Amino acid sequence: IMAFVIIGAAILAIWGWQFLQSQISEPKETVLKTAEVKEVNINEETGGYKITASFPQFYNLGDSAREAAASNLIKGRVEKSIEEFKRGVNEEITDTSPNIKGEMRISYKVVNLNSWVASVEFSEYTYIEGAAHPLDFFSSFNYNFKDNREIVLADLFNPGSNYLSVLSDLSRKSLKNQLGEYYVQESVESGTTPKSENFSVFFLGKDKLTIVFNVYSVTGYAAGPQTVETSYDELRTVINPEGVIQLTRQ
């Protein structure tokens, strides 16, 4: 009889444990929605300069902390660019040309935006008194909402792969074809050496990677910024199909 009592108690204990476990809810994964964008505008004009800037802030993602993290990064960079421009204007202002103002324009274009990834192109135009000509400059903002961090180029590729060499070869071939009379082999090869800083301006489309080479990086001012596009399929030997690229297609 005692044996039956012990066995019964053990069975009840197991059932009780299983019931208790079933009542403990597992942590729920945050369900994110496709983010939306609110445009923020800055307009400022003084006797020495004029600034017109617009940039995106994210909302309706389903997680205010992630929205704020990405939005604050963008806001901080725009504000930093504006402050650097103001310092440059103040250093160059003279009394010889009071009617010439410095000017800055910042605009953006959303390249890709879903519940996991944001890829934004920024275009910056600046002119400071005394400069030979205005300067057009492009920058990129790529964010992984899923992991709540900014995307760097290496995130797209298999660890240890020679992805920089692959990008270098593809870029050189493309630039040689598109530059025409502006093609200078030494400049192109210098600006496309397999270093991450040479490919730091990039955008993530649903099916392609776009790289921008700013003025003077691979050619002179007259040719302007250069864009190289390559499909993810072309990068299949080095790309990580289970990584960030998978998120761009959500």
Side-chain angles (χ1 to χ4, degrees):
I1 294 175
M2 182 62 66
F4 283 113
V5 171
I6 294 173
I7 292 172
I11 292 173
L12 288 173
I14 292 171
W15 284 351
W17 172 253
Q18 290 176 338
F19 176 78
L20 180 62
Q21 287 292 98
S22 69
Q23 300 305 304
I24 300 176
S25 59
E26 296 182 0
K28 292 184 179 179
E29 183 178 351
T30 302
V31 178
L32 302 178
K33 300 179 290 184
T34 296
E36 296 181 53
V37 166
K38 290 188 294 188
E39 181 171 289
V40 177
N41 294 288
I42 297 175
N43 295 285
E44 186 176 342
E45 186 168 3
T46 69
Y49 60 78
K50 179 179 180 180
I51 297 171
T52 304
S54 62
F55 59 92
Q57 298 282 267
F58 303 107
Y59 74 104
N60 204 29
L61 179 68
D63 187 317
S64 59
R66 300 183 203 217
E67 293 168 3
S71 296
N72 288 338
L73 275 177
I74 290 177
K75 182 174 182 286
R77 289 181 188 176
V78 170
E79 291 176 343
K80 181 181 179 181
S81 291
I82 290 174
E83 288 306 311
E84 290 175 350
F85 168 75
K86 288 179 179 180
R87 284 197 296 270
V89 169
N90 291 332
E91 290 170 0
E92 295 298 330
I93 285 179
T94 67
D95 295 327
T96 58
S97 53
N99 295 323
I100 299 178
K101 287 187 176 185
E103 184 175 5
M104 168 180 254
R105 297 195 298 263
I106 298 176
S107 59
Y108 71 93
K109 179 176 72 174
V110 176
V111 176
N112 196 359
L113 181 61
N114 59 39
S115 58
W116 296 124
V117 167
S119 186
V120 184
E121 171 191 296
F122 285 92
S123 174
E124 185 176 310
Y125 166 98
T126 57
Y127 176 74
I128 295 178
E129 181 186 353
H133 44 66
L135 181 64
D136 290 299
F137 178 82
F138 288 88
S139 61
S140 56
F141 178 80
N142 299 289
Y143 201 81
N144 180 343
F145 289 123
K146 184 174 185 289
D147 295 333
N148 199 24
R149 66 183 181 88
E150 193 166 5
I151 297 169
V152 297
L153 187 63
D155 293 337
L156 280 62
F157 301 98
N158 291 316
S161 66
N162 64 331
Y163 71 91
L164 287 171
S165 294
V166 171
L167 292 177
S168 175
D169 291 341
L170 287 170
S171 297
R172 288 175 178 177
K173 291 177 183 176
S174 179
L175 290 168
K176 185 175 183 179
N177 291 331
Q178 70 190 47
L179 279 172
E181 63 179 302
Y182 295 108
Y183 177 76
V184 178
Q185 183 175 347
E186 183 180 358
S187 297
V188 169
E189 290 186 353
S190 174
T192 58
T193 53
K195 298 178 181 179
S196 57
E197 57 264 33
N198 287 335
F199 305 95
S200 60
V201 184
F202 64 93
F203 308 105
L204 304 173
K206 290 185 178 181
D207 55 7
K208 66 182 178 182
L209 172 68
T210 300
I211 298 168
V212 174
F213 297 95
N214 279 304
V215 172
Y216 299 124
S217 60
V218 294
T219 188
Y221 179 82
Q226 299 298 309
T227 299
V228 171
E229 295 181 344
T230 179
S231 68
Y232 296 140
D233 186 59
E234 288 181 276
L235 301 169
R236 61 186 176 279
T237 60
V238 290
I239 210 161
N240 180 1
E242 303 302 320
V244 172
I245 295 304
Q246 187 180 43
L247 302 181
T248 66
R249 296 165 174 169
Q250 296 296 318

Short mmCIF file of all heavy atoms in Angstrom, two decimals, residues 15-74:
data_model
loop_
_atom_site.label_atom_id
_atom_site.label_comp_id
_atom_site.label_asym_id
_atom_site.label_seq_id
_atom_site.Cartn_x
_atom_site.Cartn_y
_atom_site.Cartn_z
N TRP A 15 2.25 15.70 -12.72
CA TRP A 15 1.10 16.40 -13.35
C TRP A 15 1.05 17.86 -12.90
O TRP A 15 0.78 18.76 -13.69
CB TRP A 15 -0.19 15.69 -12.98
CG TRP A 15 -0.41 14.40 -13.75
CD1 TRP A 15 0.30 13.94 -14.79
CD2 TRP A 15 -1.44 13.44 -13.48
NE1 TRP A 15 -0.18 12.74 -15.20
CE2 TRP A 15 -1.26 12.39 -14.43
CE3 TRP A 15 -2.47 13.32 -12.54
CZ2 TRP A 15 -2.08 11.26 -14.46
CZ3 TRP A 15 -3.30 12.20 -12.58
CH2 TRP A 15 -3.11 11.18 -13.53
N GLY A 16 1.28 18.07 -11.61
CA GLY A 16 1.24 19.43 -11.09
C GLY A 16 2.31 20.31 -11.73
O GLY A 16 2.07 21.47 -12.06
N TRP A 17 3.50 19.72 -11.89
CA TRP A 17 4.60 20.47 -12.51
C TRP A 17 4.28 20.81 -13.97
O TRP A 17 4.51 21.93 -14.43
CB TRP A 17 5.88 19.65 -12.42
CG TRP A 17 7.04 20.25 -13.20
CD1 TRP A 17 7.57 19.80 -14.35
CD2 TRP A 17 7.77 21.43 -12.85
NE1 TRP A 17 8.60 20.60 -14.76
CE2 TRP A 17 8.74 21.62 -13.86
CE3 TRP A 17 7.69 22.33 -11.78
CZ2 TRP A 17 9.63 22.69 -13.83
CZ3 TRP A 17 8.58 23.39 -11.75
CH2 TRP A 17 9.54 23.57 -12.77
N GLN A 18 3.74 19.83 -14.68
CA GLN A 18 3.38 20.07 -16.08
C GLN A 18 2.30 21.14 -16.20
O GLN A 18 2.34 21.99 -17.10
CB GLN A 18 2.91 18.76 -16.72
CG GLN A 18 4.04 17.76 -16.92
CD GLN A 18 3.53 16.43 -17.48
OE1 GLN A 18 2.34 16.11 -17.35
NE2 GLN A 18 4.42 15.67 -18.07
N PHE A 19 1.31 21.11 -15.29
CA PHE A 19 0.25 22.12 -15.33
C PHE A 19 0.82 23.51 -15.05
O PHE A 19 0.46 24.49 -15.70
CB PHE A 19 -0.83 21.77 -14.28
CG PHE A 19 -1.90 22.81 -14.17
CD1 PHE A 19 -2.92 22.87 -15.13
CD2 PHE A 19 -1.90 23.74 -13.14
CE1 PHE A 19 -3.91 23.83 -15.04
CE2 PHE A 19 -2.88 24.70 -13.05
CZ PHE A 19 -3.89 24.75 -14.01
N LEU A 20 1.72 23.57 -14.05
CA LEU A 20 2.32 24.85 -13.70
C LEU A 20 3.10 25.42 -14.88
O LEU A 20 3.02 26.61 -15.19
CB LEU A 20 3.24 24.67 -12.48
CG LEU A 20 3.96 25.94 -11.99
CD1 LEU A 20 2.94 26.97 -11.53
CD2 LEU A 20 4.93 25.59 -10.86
N GLN A 21 3.86 24.54 -15.55
CA GLN A 21 4.64 24.99 -16.70
C GLN A 21 3.75 25.50 -17.83
O GLN A 21 4.08 26.46 -18.52
CB GLN A 21 5.50 23.84 -17.25
CG GLN A 21 6.69 23.49 -16.35
CD GLN A 21 7.71 24.61 -16.32
OE1 GLN A 21 7.72 25.40 -15.39
NE2 GLN A 21 8.56 24.70 -17.33
N SER A 22 2.60 24.86 -18.00
CA SER A 22 1.68 25.26 -19.07
C SER A 22 1.08 26.63 -18.81
O SER A 22 0.63 27.32 -19.73
CB SER A 22 0.56 24.23 -19.25
OG SER A 22 -0.31 24.25 -18.13
N GLN A 23 1.05 27.03 -17.52
CA GLN A 23 0.46 28.32 -17.18
C GLN A 23 1.45 29.47 -17.26
O GLN A 23 1.08 30.63 -17.18
CB GLN A 23 -0.13 28.26 -15.75
CG GLN A 23 -1.22 27.21 -15.58
CD GLN A 23 -2.34 27.39 -16.58
OE1 GLN A 23 -2.94 28.47 -16.65
NE2 GLN A 23 -2.61 26.35 -17.36
N ILE A 24 2.73 29.11 -17.35
CA ILE A 24 3.76 30.14 -17.45
C ILE A 24 3.90 30.54 -18.92
O ILE A 24 4.31 29.75 -19.76
CB ILE A 24 5.12 29.62 -16.91
CG1 ILE A 24 5.00 29.23 -15.45
CG2 ILE A 24 6.20 30.69 -17.11
CD1 ILE A 24 6.26 28.61 -14.88
N SER A 25 3.52 31.75 -19.21
CA SER A 25 3.56 32.20 -20.60
C SER A 25 5.00 32.50 -21.02
O SER A 25 5.78 33.07 -20.26
CB SER A 25 2.71 33.47 -20.78
OG SER A 25 3.19 34.49 -19.94
N GLU A 26 5.33 32.07 -22.21
CA GLU A 26 6.65 32.34 -22.76
C GLU A 26 6.73 33.82 -23.16
O GLU A 26 5.72 34.42 -23.53
CB GLU A 26 6.91 31.46 -23.98
CG GLU A 26 6.95 29.98 -23.64
CD GLU A 26 7.25 29.15 -24.88
OE1 GLU A 26 7.41 29.75 -25.96
OE2 GLU A 26 7.33 27.92 -24.74
N PRO A 27 7.96 34.40 -23.09
CA PRO A 27 8.10 35.80 -23.51
C PRO A 27 7.66 35.97 -24.96
O PRO A 27 8.04 35.19 -25.83
CB PRO A 27 9.62 36.04 -23.38
CG PRO A 27 10.09 34.99 -22.42
CD PRO A 27 9.21 33.81 -22.64
N LYS A 28 6.85 36.95 -25.21
CA LYS A 28 6.35 37.17 -26.56
C LYS A 28 7.35 37.99 -27.36
O LYS A 28 7.89 38.98 -26.89
CB LYS A 28 5.01 37.91 -26.49
CG LYS A 28 3.89 37.07 -25.90
CD LYS A 28 2.57 37.85 -25.97
CE LYS A 28 1.43 37.02 -25.41
NZ LYS A 28 0.14 37.75 -25.45
N GLU A 29 7.59 37.54 -28.58
CA GLU A 29 8.47 38.28 -29.47
C GLU A 29 7.73 39.53 -29.96
O GLU A 29 6.55 39.50 -30.25
CB GLU A 29 8.85 37.42 -30.68
CG GLU A 29 9.81 38.11 -31.63
CD GLU A 29 10.20 37.21 -32.79
OE1 GLU A 29 9.85 36.01 -32.74
OE2 GLU A 29 10.83 37.71 -33.73
N THR A 30 8.45 40.64 -29.98
CA THR A 30 7.85 41.89 -30.42
C THR A 30 7.43 41.78 -31.88
O THR A 30 8.21 41.39 -32.74
CB THR A 30 8.84 43.06 -30.27
OG1 THR A 30 9.24 43.14 -28.89
CG2 THR A 30 8.21 44.36 -30.70
N VAL A 31 6.19 42.09 -32.14
CA VAL A 31 5.68 42.06 -33.52
C VAL A 31 5.77 43.48 -34.07
O VAL A 31 5.10 44.39 -33.59
CB VAL A 31 4.22 41.56 -33.56
CG1 VAL A 31 3.71 41.59 -35.00
CG2 VAL A 31 4.15 40.15 -32.99
N LEU A 32 6.62 43.65 -35.07
CA LEU A 32 6.81 44.96 -35.65
C LEU A 32 5.96 45.12 -36.91
O LEU A 32 5.72 44.16 -37.64
CB LEU A 32 8.29 45.17 -36.01
CG LEU A 32 9.27 45.04 -34.84
CD1 LEU A 32 10.69 45.23 -35.34
CD2 LEU A 32 8.95 46.05 -33.75
N LYS A 33 5.54 46.35 -37.14
CA LYS A 33 4.78 46.68 -38.34
C LYS A 33 5.66 47.49 -39.27
O LYS A 33 6.71 48.00 -38.87
CB LYS A 33 3.52 47.48 -37.97
CG LYS A 33 2.57 46.75 -37.05
CD LYS A 33 1.36 47.61 -36.73
CE LYS A 33 1.74 48.79 -35.83
NZ LYS A 33 0.55 49.59 -35.43
N THR A 34 5.25 47.59 -40.51
CA THR A 34 6.00 48.43 -41.44
C THR A 34 5.99 49.86 -40.94
O THR A 34 4.92 50.45 -40.74
CB THR A 34 5.42 48.37 -42.86
OG1 THR A 34 5.55 47.02 -43.35
CG2 THR A 34 6.16 49.31 -43.80
N ALA A 35 7.16 50.41 -40.71
CA ALA A 35 7.27 51.75 -40.16
C ALA A 35 6.73 52.79 -41.14
O ALA A 35 6.72 52.59 -42.34
CB ALA A 35 8.72 52.06 -39.82
N GLU A 36 6.29 53.89 -40.58
CA GLU A 36 5.91 55.04 -41.38
C GLU A 36 6.87 56.19 -41.08
O GLU A 36 7.62 56.14 -40.11
CB GLU A 36 4.46 55.45 -41.07
CG GLU A 36 3.44 54.36 -41.45
CD GLU A 36 2.02 54.79 -41.17
OE1 GLU A 36 1.62 55.88 -41.64
OE2 GLU A 36 1.32 54.05 -40.46
N VAL A 37 6.83 57.20 -41.93
CA VAL A 37 7.80 58.29 -41.83
C VAL A 37 7.10 59.62 -41.66
O VAL A 37 6.15 59.94 -42.37
CB VAL A 37 8.70 58.32 -43.09
CG1 VAL A 37 9.47 59.63 -43.16
CG2 VAL A 37 9.66 57.14 -43.08
N LYS A 38 7.57 60.39 -40.69
CA LYS A 38 7.19 61.79 -40.55
C LYS A 38 8.37 62.64 -40.98
O LYS A 38 9.50 62.37 -40.58
CB LYS A 38 6.83 62.12 -39.10
CG LYS A 38 5.56 61.50 -38.60
CD LYS A 38 5.21 62.04 -37.21
CE LYS A 38 6.21 61.61 -36.17
NZ LYS A 38 5.77 61.98 -34.79
N GLU A 39 8.12 63.66 -41.77
CA GLU A 39 9.20 64.52 -42.24
C GLU A 39 9.40 65.69 -41.28
O GLU A 39 8.45 66.37 -40.91
CB GLU A 39 8.92 65.03 -43.65
CG GLU A 39 10.04 65.91 -44.21
CD GLU A 39 9.83 66.23 -45.68
OE1 GLU A 39 9.99 65.31 -46.51
OE2 GLU A 39 9.49 67.38 -45.98
N VAL A 40 10.64 65.91 -40.92
CA VAL A 40 11.01 67.06 -40.09
C VAL A 40 11.76 68.05 -40.98
O VAL A 40 12.63 67.67 -41.75
CB VAL A 40 11.90 66.64 -38.91
CG1 VAL A 40 12.34 67.86 -38.10
CG2 VAL A 40 11.17 65.64 -38.03
N ASN A 41 11.40 69.31 -40.87
CA ASN A 41 12.02 70.35 -41.71
C ASN A 41 12.71 71.39 -40.85
O ASN A 41 12.21 71.79 -39.80
CB ASN A 41 10.96 71.03 -42.58
CG ASN A 41 10.36 70.08 -43.60
OD1 ASN A 41 11.01 69.70 -44.56
ND2 ASN A 41 9.11 69.69 -43.37
N ILE A 42 13.86 71.83 -41.32
CA ILE A 42 14.63 72.90 -40.68
C ILE A 42 14.86 73.99 -41.70
O ILE A 42 15.38 73.73 -42.80
CB ILE A 42 15.98 72.39 -40.14
CG1 ILE A 42 15.76 71.33 -39.06
CG2 ILE A 42 16.82 73.54 -39.61
CD1 ILE A 42 17.05 70.68 -38.56
N ASN A 43 14.47 75.20 -41.38
CA ASN A 43 14.71 76.35 -42.26
C ASN A 43 15.31 77.47 -41.41
O ASN A 43 14.72 77.90 -40.43
CB ASN A 43 13.39 76.83 -42.89
CG ASN A 43 12.80 75.79 -43.82
OD1 ASN A 43 13.27 75.60 -44.93
ND2 ASN A 43 11.75 75.10 -43.35
N GLU A 44 16.48 77.90 -41.82
CA GLU A 44 17.18 78.92 -41.05
C GLU A 44 17.93 79.84 -42.00
O GLU A 44 18.59 79.37 -42.93
CB GLU A 44 18.15 78.24 -40.08
CG GLU A 44 18.82 79.19 -39.12
CD GLU A 44 19.70 78.46 -38.11
OE1 GLU A 44 19.51 77.23 -37.93
OE2 GLU A 44 20.58 79.11 -37.53
N GLU A 45 17.83 81.11 -41.78
CA GLU A 45 18.52 82.06 -42.64
C GLU A 45 19.03 83.24 -41.82
O GLU A 45 18.33 83.79 -40.99
CB GLU A 45 17.60 82.55 -43.75
CG GLU A 45 18.30 83.43 -44.78
CD GLU A 45 17.47 83.68 -46.02
OE1 GLU A 45 16.30 83.22 -46.06
OE2 GLU A 45 17.98 84.33 -46.95
N THR A 46 20.28 83.59 -42.07
CA THR A 46 20.90 84.75 -41.43
C THR A 46 21.54 85.60 -42.52
O THR A 46 21.40 85.30 -43.72
CB THR A 46 21.98 84.31 -40.42
OG1 THR A 46 23.08 83.74 -41.14
CG2 THR A 46 21.43 83.28 -39.44
N GLY A 47 22.30 86.60 -42.11
CA GLY A 47 22.98 87.41 -43.10
C GLY A 47 24.11 86.67 -43.79
O GLY A 47 24.56 87.08 -44.87
N GLY A 48 24.56 85.57 -43.19
CA GLY A 48 25.70 84.85 -43.75
C GLY A 48 25.39 83.52 -44.39
O GLY A 48 26.20 82.99 -45.15
N TYR A 49 24.21 82.94 -44.09
CA TYR A 49 23.92 81.62 -44.66
C TYR A 49 22.42 81.35 -44.72
O TYR A 49 21.61 82.01 -44.06
CB TYR A 49 24.61 80.52 -43.86
CG TYR A 49 24.19 80.45 -42.41
CD1 TYR A 49 22.98 79.87 -42.03
CD2 TYR A 49 25.02 80.93 -41.40
CE1 TYR A 49 22.59 79.79 -40.71
CE2 TYR A 49 24.64 80.87 -40.07
CZ TYR A 49 23.43 80.29 -39.73
OH TYR A 49 23.05 80.22 -38.41
N LYS A 50 22.09 80.32 -45.50
CA LYS A 50 20.72 79.84 -45.60
C LYS A 50 20.76 78.32 -45.52
O LYS A 50 21.52 77.68 -46.23
CB LYS A 50 20.08 80.28 -46.93
CG LYS A 50 18.65 79.79 -47.10
CD LYS A 50 18.06 80.29 -48.42
CE LYS A 50 16.63 79.79 -48.58
NZ LYS A 50 16.03 80.25 -49.87
N ILE A 51 19.92 77.78 -44.67
CA ILE A 51 19.86 76.33 -44.47
C ILE A 51 18.44 75.84 -44.70
O ILE A 51 17.49 76.37 -44.14
CB ILE A 51 20.31 75.95 -43.05
CG1 ILE A 51 21.76 76.34 -42.82
CG2 ILE A 51 20.12 74.45 -42.81
CD1 ILE A 51 22.22 76.19 -41.38
N THR A 52 18.32 74.82 -45.52
CA THR A 52 17.05 74.14 -45.73
C THR A 52 17.32 72.64 -45.60
O THR A 52 18.10 72.08 -46.38
CB THR A 52 16.46 74.42 -47.12
OG1 THR A 52 16.34 75.83 -47.30
CG2 THR A 52 15.09 73.78 -47.28
N ALA A 53 16.72 72.01 -44.63
CA ALA A 53 16.98 70.59 -44.40
C ALA A 53 15.69 69.84 -44.10
O ALA A 53 14.78 70.37 -43.45
CB ALA A 53 17.96 70.41 -43.24
N SER A 54 15.61 68.63 -44.57
CA SER A 54 14.49 67.74 -44.24
C SER A 54 15.06 66.36 -43.97
O SER A 54 16.02 65.93 -44.61
CB SER A 54 13.47 67.71 -45.37
OG SER A 54 14.03 67.19 -46.56
N PHE A 55 14.45 65.68 -43.02
CA PHE A 55 14.91 64.32 -42.68
C PHE A 55 13.74 63.53 -42.08
O PHE A 55 12.78 64.12 -41.57
CB PHE A 55 16.10 64.35 -41.72
CG PHE A 55 15.85 65.04 -40.41
CD1 PHE A 55 15.41 64.34 -39.30
CD2 PHE A 55 16.07 66.41 -40.29
CE1 PHE A 55 15.20 64.98 -38.09
CE2 PHE A 55 15.86 67.07 -39.09
CZ PHE A 55 15.42 66.35 -37.98
N PRO A 56 13.81 62.21 -42.15
CA PRO A 56 12.69 61.38 -41.67
C PRO A 56 12.81 61.00 -40.20
O PRO A 56 13.90 60.88 -39.66
CB PRO A 56 12.80 60.14 -42.56
CG PRO A 56 14.28 59.99 -42.77
CD PRO A 56 14.83 61.40 -42.84
N GLN A 57 11.67 60.82 -39.59
CA GLN A 57 11.57 60.23 -38.27
C GLN A 57 10.54 59.11 -38.36
O GLN A 57 9.51 59.26 -39.01
CB GLN A 57 11.15 61.28 -37.23
CG GLN A 57 12.15 62.43 -37.08
CD GLN A 57 13.37 62.06 -36.26
OE1 GLN A 57 13.41 62.26 -35.06
NE2 GLN A 57 14.38 61.50 -36.91
N PHE A 58 10.81 58.01 -37.69
CA PHE A 58 9.98 56.82 -37.84
C PHE A 58 8.90 56.74 -36.76
O PHE A 58 9.12 57.15 -35.63
CB PHE A 58 10.85 55.56 -37.78
CG PHE A 58 11.94 55.55 -38.82
CD1 PHE A 58 13.26 55.76 -38.45
CD2 PHE A 58 11.65 55.35 -40.16
CE1 PHE A 58 14.27 55.76 -39.39
CE2 PHE A 58 12.65 55.35 -41.11
CZ PHE A 58 13.96 55.56 -40.73
N TYR A 59 7.75 56.21 -37.14
CA TYR A 59 6.68 55.99 -36.17
C TYR A 59 5.80 54.84 -36.65
O TYR A 59 5.94 54.34 -37.77
CB TYR A 59 5.85 57.26 -35.97
CG TYR A 59 4.91 57.62 -37.11
CD1 TYR A 59 3.53 57.38 -37.00
CD2 TYR A 59 5.39 58.17 -38.30
CE1 TYR A 59 2.67 57.70 -38.04
CE2 TYR A 59 4.53 58.49 -39.34
CZ TYR A 59 3.17 58.26 -39.20
OH TYR A 59 2.32 58.57 -40.24
N ASN A 60 4.90 54.40 -35.77
CA ASN A 60 3.95 53.33 -36.07
C ASN A 60 4.64 51.99 -36.37
O ASN A 60 4.10 51.15 -37.07
CB ASN A 60 3.04 53.72 -37.24
CG ASN A 60 1.72 52.96 -37.20
OD1 ASN A 60 1.23 52.57 -36.13
ND2 ASN A 60 1.13 52.73 -38.37
N LEU A 61 5.84 51.80 -35.82
CA LEU A 61 6.56 50.54 -36.01
C LEU A 61 6.02 49.45 -35.08
O LEU A 61 6.10 48.27 -35.38
CB LEU A 61 8.06 50.76 -35.75
CG LEU A 61 8.98 49.55 -35.86
CD1 LEU A 61 9.08 49.06 -37.30
CD2 LEU A 61 10.38 49.90 -35.33
N GLY A 62 5.48 49.90 -33.94
CA GLY A 62 5.02 48.94 -32.95
C GLY A 62 5.96 48.82 -31.76
O GLY A 62 5.72 48.03 -30.85
N ASP A 63 7.03 49.59 -31.77
CA ASP A 63 8.00 49.58 -30.67
C ASP A 63 8.63 50.97 -30.61
O ASP A 63 9.48 51.32 -31.44
CB ASP A 63 9.07 48.52 -30.91
CG ASP A 63 10.00 48.35 -29.71
OD1 ASP A 63 10.40 49.37 -29.13
OD2 ASP A 63 10.32 47.19 -29.36
N SER A 64 8.20 51.76 -29.65
CA SER A 64 8.64 53.16 -29.58
C SER A 64 10.14 53.28 -29.32
O SER A 64 10.78 54.24 -29.76
CB SER A 64 7.86 53.90 -28.49
OG SER A 64 8.05 53.28 -27.23
N ALA A 65 10.72 52.32 -28.60
CA ALA A 65 12.15 52.38 -28.31
C ALA A 65 12.98 52.22 -29.59
O ALA A 65 13.97 52.93 -29.78
CB ALA A 65 12.54 51.30 -27.30
N ARG A 66 12.57 51.32 -30.44
CA ARG A 66 13.30 51.12 -31.70
C ARG A 66 13.09 52.31 -32.63
O ARG A 66 14.02 52.73 -33.34
CB ARG A 66 12.84 49.82 -32.37
CG ARG A 66 13.09 48.60 -31.50
CD ARG A 66 12.71 47.32 -32.21
NE ARG A 66 12.44 46.26 -31.24
CZ ARG A 66 12.75 44.99 -31.41
NH1 ARG A 66 13.33 44.60 -32.53
NH2 ARG A 66 12.48 44.09 -30.49
N GLU A 67 11.88 52.83 -32.66
CA GLU A 67 11.62 54.03 -33.46
C GLU A 67 12.55 55.17 -33.02
O GLU A 67 13.16 55.83 -33.85
CB GLU A 67 10.17 54.49 -33.27
CG GLU A 67 9.12 53.56 -33.82
CD GLU A 67 7.73 53.94 -33.34
OE1 GLU A 67 7.58 54.95 -32.63
OE2 GLU A 67 6.78 53.21 -33.67
N ALA A 68 12.62 55.36 -31.71
CA ALA A 68 13.43 56.46 -31.18
C ALA A 68 14.91 56.26 -31.45
O ALA A 68 15.63 57.21 -31.78
CB ALA A 68 13.18 56.61 -29.68
N ALA A 69 15.38 55.02 -31.33
CA ALA A 69 16.80 54.74 -31.54
C ALA A 69 17.22 55.11 -32.96
O ALA A 69 18.24 55.78 -33.18
CB ALA A 69 17.10 53.27 -31.26
N ALA A 70 16.43 54.67 -33.94
CA ALA A 70 16.76 54.97 -35.34
C ALA A 70 16.57 56.45 -35.65
O ALA A 70 17.42 57.08 -36.30
CB ALA A 70 15.89 54.12 -36.27
N SER A 71 15.47 57.01 -35.18
CA SER A 71 15.18 58.43 -35.46
C SER A 71 16.22 59.35 -34.86
O SER A 71 16.63 60.34 -35.49
CB SER A 71 13.79 58.78 -34.92
OG SER A 71 12.77 58.06 -35.58
N ASN A 72 16.67 59.05 -33.65
CA ASN A 72 17.64 59.91 -32.99
C ASN A 72 19.01 59.87 -33.68
O ASN A 72 19.74 60.86 -33.69
CB ASN A 72 17.78 59.53 -31.52
CG ASN A 72 16.56 59.91 -30.70
OD1 ASN A 72 15.80 60.80 -31.10
ND2 ASN A 72 16.37 59.25 -29.58
N LEU A 73 19.35 58.71 -34.24
CA LEU A 73 20.60 58.63 -34.99
C LEU A 73 20.57 59.58 -36.19
O LEU A 73 21.53 60.31 -36.45
CB LEU A 73 20.83 57.19 -35.48
CG LEU A 73 21.51 56.23 -34.51
CD1 LEU A 73 21.58 54.83 -35.14
CD2 LEU A 73 22.91 56.70 -34.16
N ILE A 74 19.46 59.55 -36.91
CA ILE A 74 19.33 60.43 -38.08
C ILE A 74 19.34 61.89 -37.65
O ILE A 74 20.08 62.72 -38.21
CB ILE A 74 18.03 60.11 -38.85
CG1 ILE A 74 18.14 58.76 -39.54
CG2 ILE A 74 17.72 61.21 -39.86
CD1 ILE A 74 16.89 58.32 -40.27
#
